[in-house]
Amino acid sequence: MSSTRTVLVLNSGSSSVKFQLIEPDTGTSVAHGIVERIGDANSTAKLTLGEQELQRDGTIADHEAALRTAFELFREGGGELSDYGLVAVGHRVVHGGRDLYRPTVVDDSVLTAITDLAPMAPLHNPPAALGIEVAQRIMPGLPHVAVFDTAFFHDLPEAAASYAIDRNVAEQWKIRRYGFHGTSHQYVSQQAAVFLGVPLEGLNQIVLHLGNGASASAIVGGRPVDTSMGLTPMEGLVMGTRSGDVDPGLVMYLWRTAQMSVEDIETMLNRKSGVLGLGGKIDFRELHKQIAAGDTDAQLAYDVYIHRLRKYIGAYLALLGTTNVLTFTAGVGENDGAVRRDALSGMAPLGIELDEHLNDSPARGPRIISAERSPTTVLVIPTNEELAIARACIDVL
Ligand code: AMP
């Protein structure tokens, strides 16, 4: 048991809830876990608490049952949440639109606003709103704080935030480039400055968040000047299952000529595209194995992924003029040395040179992987969105 304060951070998806109990002051993760396949006959709940790994299998009917099961596992393993100085519940919310961008204590009007943004983030905001509503019911005595994935990019320069489409249509329908993964881009860019021991204000940075979802950002003095995701988290880099950039004409073509429904097109671009759609695997460890076995589809998926990534790096180098730091983060960015090498190969004339040995090292934690002579310092910084959310909760309270 700890005497310091903690925040419970929840990330509610349509069929899963991820949770983590964090001490925001020290950054210590007290417990973390996930409930998956909610509503299915073979749901699972997993909790890691210290050295203990607890698991429960069987039907977990809905999000309320999911949270209650998580608490039961917590009790099995260690005790009551109240023993851990729980002061707030932080909720990751993907889309905050134009109006919700600061970490916000959720009341009925905020919950309604999050729900009303569902058309902009149909896969993400409805389950987030459901997660908040359930958590408020189960833990009514605590402040519930929503932290928005779009927040960091709220003040993107207009030139980066605007699509070149009919202005009236854009205004009426609130169409702009909102950007996502903001909590991660902000956290990682701040940590890069801390790690290097230099002021954030003086740094031009590129952050590459390469996980299942993937996005890039260009940041000047702690403020983003561009990012690869747009109105929705589908724009930009190639991802695990999302296409990233496509010609918008493709949507009309599929609708009109292939007679696919809007839902089918959305599902295809969101869930059946990216490296999965091209190469049959989501996980880069599997993709590399397929490539090694001579699978040409997997090779093409990898090549398209790297090609797109290099295009964005090049674009952001041009936007920034001088780039002091380029940082890789998230599952692929932190772990896949081949992706990092191929993303940056041949860029010495542009001021980026990796140290092969440092890049290949299986080290964990924040680290430099560029050659000493490289004008741009290349880093790997593990992201920690949960800690950033927990700290945002404390700040707002
Ligand atoms: P994230 O969304 O940040 O959790 O990233 C998940 C993705 O990271 C997985 O789908 C894998 O593609 C990738 N990943 C995780 N661990 C490794 C690893 N050791 N090597 C290569 N890729 C990894």
Side-chain angles (χ1 to χ4, degrees):
M1 197 194 306
S2 162
S3 59
T4 53
R5 58 187 176 173
T6 58
V7 173
L8 177 64
V9 177
L10 297 180
N11 184 351
S12 305
S14 56
S15 63
S16 70
V17 178
K18 281 191 209 147
F19 50 91
Q20 190 162 163
L21 186 67
I22 298 185
E23 293 178 4
D25 304 310
T26 61
T28 305
S29 170
V30 176
H32 66 269
I34 184 166
V35 184
E36 289 177 289
R37 293 182 294 280
I38 296 170
D40 204 288
N42 56 350
S43 321
T44 51
K46 290 182 191 158
L47 174 87
T48 304
L49 175 62
E51 301 288 293
Q52 303 181 75
E53 303 274 347
L54 299 130
Q55 180 164 345
R56 187 172 299 176
D57 303 313
T59 306
I60 298 174
D62 52 26
H63 283 65
E64 177 161 348
L67 268 191
R68 291 195 189 281
T69 306
F71 291 166
E72 280 165 25
L73 286 181
F74 192 75
R75 237 170 265 139
E76 255 177 65
E80 290 296 327
L81 272 179
S82 52
D83 293 339
Y84 284 80
L86 186 61
V87 293
V89 185
H91 297 268
R92 177 178 184 225
V93 181
V94 163
H95 215 311
R98 279 309 279 155
D99 301 327
L100 294 170
Y101 54 97
R102 295 201 174 82
T104 307
V105 177
V106 182
D107 57 18
D108 288 350
S109 69
V110 173
L111 193 54
T112 304
I114 292 169
T115 308
D116 288 348
L117 284 163
M120 292 260 189
L123 306 177
H124 295 105
N125 271 36
L130 176 64
I132 294 172
E133 191 251 312
V134 163
Q136 283 180 324
R137 205 161 352 109
I138 298 180
M139 295 171 280
L142 288 166
H144 290 255
V145 179
V147 179
F148 300 96
D149 240 24
T150 43
F152 183 52
F153 301 114
H154 182 262
D155 296 321
L156 270 188
E158 283 301 304
S162 306
Y163 289 108
I165 61 168
D166 182 328
R167 208 188 155 90
N168 296 324
V169 172
E171 272 169 23
Q172 182 180 357
W173 296 100
K174 299 187 168 64
I175 294 171
R176 61 186 278 117
R177 304 191 59 255
Y178 288 95
F180 299 86
H181 290 149
T183 308
S184 177
H185 285 275
Q186 183 172 28
Y187 174 83
V188 166
S189 53
Q190 290 171 345
Q191 290 302 307
V194 170
F195 176 70
L196 294 172
V198 295
L200 180 64
E201 292 68 32
L203 290 181
N204 283 0
Q205 304 196 50
I206 294 174
V207 175
L208 303 172
H209 175 112
L210 309 178
N212 248 332
S215 59
S217 65
I219 300 171
V220 173
R223 294 170 73 97
V225 295
D226 205 352
T227 191
S228 59
M229 286 177 167
L231 175 73
T232 74
M234 289 165 75
E235 191 179 336
L237 301 175
V238 176
M239 312 185 206
T241 65
R242 277 173 259 168
S243 61
D245 294 337
V246 291
D247 179 345
L250 175 152
V251 175
M252 282 75 88
Y253 179 77
L254 289 175
W255 182 72
R256 192 182 295 124
T257 309
Q259 311 232 315
M260 282 172 74
S261 67
V262 169
E263 286 71 26
D264 286 347
I265 298 170
E266 185 170 48
T267 302
M268 195 270 289
L269 292 175
N270 260 311
R271 299 204 192 277
K272 299 182 185 172
S273 297
V275 288
L276 174 73
L278 281 172
K281 302 287 176 198
I282 300 180
D283 193 305
F284 270 69
R285 288 162 286 197
E286 310 259 319
L287 196 70
H288 285 302
K289 277 190 206 147
Q290 291 298 109
I291 292 170
D295 182 332
T296 52
D297 291 344
Q299 183 68 58
L300 179 65
Y302 184 77
D303 292 347
V304 174
Y305 181 93
I306 295 292
H307 181 80
R308 182 83 50 84
L309 187 53
R310 290 172 65 89
K311 272 172 55 168
Y312 270 88
I313 293 168
Y316 290 174
L317 289 174
L319 272 184
L320 293 175
T322 300
T323 303
N324 309 112
V325 182
L326 181 148
T327 305
F328 288 92
T329 193
V332 178
E334 290 167 30
N335 296 299
D336 197 323
V339 165
R340 295 191 299 255
R341 182 196 62 224
D342 294 336
L344 301 180
S345 68
M347 289 195 190
L350 300 174
I352 303 179
E353 210 174 333
L354 280 187
D355 177 313
E356 293 280 331
H357 181 68
L358 292 176
N359 183 50
D360 290 341
S361 146
R364 307 221 152 256
R367 56 197 187 272
I368 296 178
I369 56 168
S370 47
E372 229 169 287
R373 62 178 171 272
S374 177
T376 300
T377 304
V378 183
L379 302 177
V380 175
I381 305 257
T383 193
N384 193 339
E385 289 166 282
E386 289 80 8
L387 176 59
I389 291 172
R391 289 190 171 151
C393 290
I394 295 298
D395 289 345
V396 78
L397 297 174

Short mmCIF file of all heavy atoms in Angstrom, two decimals, residues 274-302:
data_model
loop_
_atom_site.label_atom_id
_atom_site.label_comp_id
_atom_site.label_asym_id
_atom_site.label_seq_id
_atom_site.Cartn_x
_atom_site.Cartn_y
_atom_site.Cartn_z
N GLY A 274 -3.75 -0.51 -44.37
CA GLY A 274 -2.45 -0.41 -43.73
C GLY A 274 -1.60 -1.64 -43.99
O GLY A 274 -1.76 -2.33 -45.00
N VAL A 275 -0.68 -1.95 -43.07
CA VAL A 275 0.20 -3.11 -43.29
C VAL A 275 -0.59 -4.41 -43.27
O VAL A 275 -0.25 -5.38 -43.96
CB VAL A 275 1.39 -3.17 -42.30
CG1 VAL A 275 2.42 -2.10 -42.58
CG2 VAL A 275 0.94 -3.07 -40.87
N LEU A 276 -1.71 -4.43 -42.53
CA LEU A 276 -2.56 -5.63 -42.56
C LEU A 276 -3.15 -5.83 -43.95
O LEU A 276 -3.09 -6.92 -44.51
CB LEU A 276 -3.70 -5.50 -41.53
CG LEU A 276 -4.72 -6.65 -41.57
CD1 LEU A 276 -4.11 -7.93 -41.00
CD2 LEU A 276 -6.00 -6.30 -40.83
N GLY A 277 -3.70 -4.75 -44.50
CA GLY A 277 -4.36 -4.85 -45.80
C GLY A 277 -3.40 -5.27 -46.90
O GLY A 277 -3.76 -6.05 -47.78
N LEU A 278 -2.18 -4.77 -46.84
CA LEU A 278 -1.22 -5.07 -47.90
C LEU A 278 -0.46 -6.37 -47.64
O LEU A 278 -0.19 -7.13 -48.57
CB LEU A 278 -0.19 -3.94 -48.02
CG LEU A 278 -0.61 -2.67 -48.76
CD1 LEU A 278 0.47 -1.61 -48.59
CD2 LEU A 278 -0.84 -2.96 -50.23
N GLY A 279 -0.12 -6.60 -46.35
CA GLY A 279 0.81 -7.69 -46.06
C GLY A 279 0.24 -8.80 -45.21
O GLY A 279 0.93 -9.79 -44.94
N GLY A 280 -1.01 -8.65 -44.76
CA GLY A 280 -1.65 -9.73 -44.00
C GLY A 280 -1.29 -9.81 -42.53
O GLY A 280 -1.77 -10.70 -41.83
N LYS A 281 -0.43 -8.92 -42.04
CA LYS A 281 -0.05 -8.93 -40.62
C LYS A 281 -0.16 -7.52 -40.07
O LYS A 281 0.14 -6.56 -40.77
CB LYS A 281 1.41 -9.39 -40.44
CG LYS A 281 1.71 -10.76 -41.00
CD LYS A 281 1.10 -11.84 -40.14
CE LYS A 281 1.33 -13.23 -40.76
NZ LYS A 281 0.44 -14.25 -40.22
N ILE A 282 -0.57 -7.42 -38.80
CA ILE A 282 -0.59 -6.10 -38.16
C ILE A 282 0.73 -5.86 -37.45
O ILE A 282 1.30 -4.79 -37.47
CB ILE A 282 -1.71 -6.01 -37.08
CG1 ILE A 282 -3.07 -6.25 -37.69
CG2 ILE A 282 -1.65 -4.66 -36.37
CD1 ILE A 282 -4.20 -6.17 -36.68
N ASP A 283 1.20 -6.93 -36.78
CA ASP A 283 2.34 -6.79 -35.87
C ASP A 283 3.65 -6.82 -36.67
O ASP A 283 3.88 -7.74 -37.47
CB ASP A 283 2.30 -7.94 -34.85
CG ASP A 283 3.25 -7.69 -33.70
OD1 ASP A 283 4.45 -7.47 -33.96
OD2 ASP A 283 2.80 -7.72 -32.55
N PHE A 284 4.51 -5.84 -36.42
CA PHE A 284 5.75 -5.75 -37.20
C PHE A 284 6.68 -6.94 -36.96
O PHE A 284 7.48 -7.28 -37.83
CB PHE A 284 6.46 -4.42 -36.94
CG PHE A 284 6.00 -3.36 -37.89
CD1 PHE A 284 4.72 -2.85 -37.83
CD2 PHE A 284 6.83 -2.89 -38.89
CE1 PHE A 284 4.27 -1.90 -38.74
CE2 PHE A 284 6.41 -1.94 -39.80
CZ PHE A 284 5.12 -1.44 -39.73
N ARG A 285 6.59 -7.58 -35.79
CA ARG A 285 7.43 -8.75 -35.56
C ARG A 285 7.05 -9.85 -36.55
O ARG A 285 7.90 -10.55 -37.10
CB ARG A 285 7.28 -9.23 -34.11
CG ARG A 285 7.95 -8.29 -33.12
CD ARG A 285 7.47 -8.50 -31.72
NE ARG A 285 6.12 -7.96 -31.56
CZ ARG A 285 5.55 -7.70 -30.38
NH1 ARG A 285 6.20 -7.98 -29.27
NH2 ARG A 285 4.34 -7.21 -30.30
N GLU A 286 5.74 -10.00 -36.75
CA GLU A 286 5.24 -11.01 -37.71
C GLU A 286 5.57 -10.61 -39.14
O GLU A 286 5.93 -11.44 -39.97
CB GLU A 286 3.72 -11.12 -37.59
CG GLU A 286 3.22 -11.28 -36.19
CD GLU A 286 2.88 -12.71 -35.90
OE1 GLU A 286 2.31 -13.33 -36.78
OE2 GLU A 286 3.23 -13.18 -34.81
N LEU A 287 5.43 -9.32 -39.40
CA LEU A 287 5.69 -8.83 -40.76
C LEU A 287 7.14 -9.14 -41.16
O LEU A 287 7.41 -9.61 -42.27
CB LEU A 287 5.42 -7.32 -40.81
CG LEU A 287 5.26 -6.72 -42.19
CD1 LEU A 287 3.95 -7.18 -42.85
CD2 LEU A 287 5.28 -5.19 -42.13
N HIS A 288 8.07 -8.89 -40.23
CA HIS A 288 9.49 -9.18 -40.52
C HIS A 288 9.71 -10.67 -40.78
O HIS A 288 10.49 -11.04 -41.65
CB HIS A 288 10.37 -8.71 -39.36
CG HIS A 288 10.55 -7.22 -39.30
ND1 HIS A 288 11.07 -6.48 -40.33
CD2 HIS A 288 10.25 -6.33 -38.32
CE1 HIS A 288 11.10 -5.19 -40.00
NE2 HIS A 288 10.59 -5.08 -38.79
N LYS A 289 9.01 -11.51 -40.02
CA LYS A 289 9.17 -12.96 -40.23
C LYS A 289 8.68 -13.35 -41.63
O LYS A 289 9.32 -14.15 -42.32
CB LYS A 289 8.34 -13.73 -39.19
CG LYS A 289 9.05 -13.89 -37.87
CD LYS A 289 8.29 -14.85 -36.97
CE LYS A 289 8.62 -14.53 -35.52
NZ LYS A 289 7.52 -14.78 -34.60
N GLN A 290 7.55 -12.78 -42.03
CA GLN A 290 7.02 -13.09 -43.36
C GLN A 290 7.98 -12.63 -44.45
O GLN A 290 8.19 -13.32 -45.43
CB GLN A 290 5.66 -12.38 -43.55
CG GLN A 290 4.54 -12.92 -42.69
CD GLN A 290 4.24 -14.37 -43.02
OE1 GLN A 290 4.54 -15.24 -42.21
NE2 GLN A 290 3.70 -14.63 -44.19
N ILE A 291 8.56 -11.44 -44.23
CA ILE A 291 9.51 -10.91 -45.22
C ILE A 291 10.72 -11.84 -45.33
O ILE A 291 11.17 -12.19 -46.43
CB ILE A 291 9.94 -9.48 -44.85
CG1 ILE A 291 8.74 -8.53 -44.99
CG2 ILE A 291 11.11 -9.01 -45.71
CD1 ILE A 291 8.97 -7.14 -44.42
N ALA A 292 11.20 -12.29 -44.15
CA ALA A 292 12.36 -13.18 -44.15
C ALA A 292 12.04 -14.49 -44.86
O ALA A 292 12.91 -15.13 -45.45
CB ALA A 292 12.80 -13.44 -42.70
N ALA A 293 10.75 -14.88 -44.82
CA ALA A 293 10.35 -16.14 -45.48
C ALA A 293 10.07 -15.93 -46.97
O ALA A 293 9.60 -16.84 -47.65
CB ALA A 293 9.12 -16.72 -44.78
N GLY A 294 10.30 -14.70 -47.45
CA GLY A 294 10.15 -14.46 -48.89
C GLY A 294 8.77 -14.00 -49.32
O GLY A 294 8.45 -14.02 -50.51
N ASP A 295 7.94 -13.59 -48.38
CA ASP A 295 6.57 -13.15 -48.71
C ASP A 295 6.60 -11.77 -49.36
O ASP A 295 6.92 -10.77 -48.70
CB ASP A 295 5.76 -13.15 -47.40
CG ASP A 295 4.31 -12.77 -47.61
OD1 ASP A 295 4.01 -12.03 -48.57
OD2 ASP A 295 3.48 -13.21 -46.79
N THR A 296 6.26 -11.70 -50.63
CA THR A 296 6.38 -10.43 -51.35
C THR A 296 5.28 -9.43 -50.96
O THR A 296 5.48 -8.22 -51.06
CB THR A 296 6.34 -10.65 -52.89
OG1 THR A 296 5.18 -11.42 -53.19
CG2 THR A 296 7.59 -11.36 -53.37
N ASP A 297 4.13 -9.93 -50.52
CA ASP A 297 3.08 -9.01 -50.04
C ASP A 297 3.56 -8.29 -48.77
O ASP A 297 3.36 -7.09 -48.61
CB ASP A 297 1.78 -9.77 -49.71
CG ASP A 297 1.11 -10.31 -50.96
OD1 ASP A 297 1.47 -9.83 -52.06
OD2 ASP A 297 0.25 -11.20 -50.83
N ALA A 298 4.16 -9.06 -47.87
CA ALA A 298 4.67 -8.47 -46.63
C ALA A 298 5.76 -7.45 -46.96
O ALA A 298 5.83 -6.37 -46.37
CB ALA A 298 5.21 -9.55 -45.69
N GLN A 299 6.59 -7.79 -47.94
CA GLN A 299 7.66 -6.86 -48.34
C GLN A 299 7.07 -5.56 -48.87
O GLN A 299 7.52 -4.46 -48.54
CB GLN A 299 8.55 -7.52 -49.42
CG GLN A 299 9.73 -6.66 -49.86
CD GLN A 299 10.78 -6.50 -48.77
OE1 GLN A 299 11.31 -7.49 -48.26
NE2 GLN A 299 11.07 -5.26 -48.37
N LEU A 300 6.02 -5.67 -49.69
CA LEU A 300 5.39 -4.47 -50.24
C LEU A 300 4.78 -3.63 -49.11
O LEU A 300 4.92 -2.40 -49.09
CB LEU A 300 4.32 -4.83 -51.27
CG LEU A 300 3.60 -3.62 -51.86
CD1 LEU A 300 4.56 -2.75 -52.69
CD2 LEU A 300 2.39 -4.03 -52.72
N ALA A 301 4.12 -4.29 -48.16
CA ALA A 301 3.52 -3.57 -47.03
C ALA A 301 4.59 -2.76 -46.30
O ALA A 301 4.41 -1.57 -45.99
CB ALA A 301 2.85 -4.55 -46.06
N TYR A 302 5.72 -3.39 -46.06
CA TYR A 302 6.83 -2.72 -45.36
C TYR A 302 7.37 -1.56 -46.20
O TYR A 302 7.60 -0.46 -45.69
CB TYR A 302 7.93 -3.75 -45.07
CG TYR A 302 9.08 -3.21 -44.27
CD1 TYR A 302 8.97 -3.01 -42.89
CD2 TYR A 302 10.30 -2.88 -44.88
CE1 TYR A 302 10.01 -2.50 -42.14
CE2 TYR A 302 11.35 -2.38 -44.14
CZ TYR A 302 11.21 -2.19 -42.77
OH TYR A 302 12.25 -1.69 -42.04
#
